[in-house]
Amino acid sequence: GPPLTATYQVQLQAQQQYNHTGNGRGNANSQQSQAISGRLRAASDMHQQGVITVEEKAVIKKLILSKDPKFHEEFDRARQVGDWQTIKRLLNNAPSVQTSAMGMVNDMND
């Protein structure tokens, strides 16, 4: 058969066309995963720019992967305008965050 790379390139092109036409059955799903990867990229960028700590980045990732539409909405709005304060507030208000942060503090005291 053809070399593996040629086959791979054809698959890649087909995938790109599929993504552009957007008439695939998994369209809502691929939009969803594009949104998620965009948010995850934003979290990494924020960490690289020193806006958030490693711990905060981990929390953001957890929130992004959670199915919390309210967080997604506010996070998207804030990151589009570069409103880091709002993102920090979202982090502080996340219920799961406070408990895990407290756990980390307690571990350090042992």
Side-chain angles (χ1 to χ4, degrees), residues 5-19:
T5 52
T7 317
Y8 178 69
Q9 282 173 333
V10 169
Q11 281 177 340
L12 209 65
Q13 282 167 343
Q15 185 65 43
Q16 283 167 346
Q17 279 169 340
Y18 175 85
N19 287 347

Side-chain angles (χ1 to χ4, degrees), residues 5 14 20 29 33 35 43 64 69 94 96 104-105 107 110:
T5 52
H20 282 303
N29 230 356
S33 62
I64 289 168
S96 59
M104 279 163 60
V105 170
D107 290 345
D110 290 344

Side-chain angles (χ1 to χ4, degrees), residues 27-103:
N27 190 30
N29 230 356
S30 67
Q31 275 177 343
Q32 187 68 25
S33 62
Q34 276 172 351
I36 287 173
S37 61
R39 291 180 189 120
L40 291 172
R41 206 172 306 119
S44 294
D45 291 348
M46 284 161 55
H47 175 245
Q48 278 169 355
Q49 292 162 15
V51 177
I52 56 173
T53 64
V54 176
E55 290 84 1
E56 287 172 327
K57 185 174 90 166
V59 171
I60 286 183
K61 285 188 168 183
K62 210 180 289 179
L63 289 167
I64 289 168
L65 295 172
S66 77
K67 300 276 184 275
D68 181 351
K70 190 171 180 292
F71 170 79
H72 290 170
E73 230 172 87
E74 292 188 37
F75 182 76
D76 285 348
R77 204 173 304 137
R79 79 183 166 106
Q80 276 158 9
V81 296
D83 178 0
W84 309 132
Q85 291 318 111
T86 295
I87 289 172
K88 291 262 195 190
R89 185 176 50 74
L90 288 172
L91 276 177
N92 294 333
N93 292 344
S96 59
V97 178
Q98 284 152 347
T99 51
S100 63
M102 287 312 293

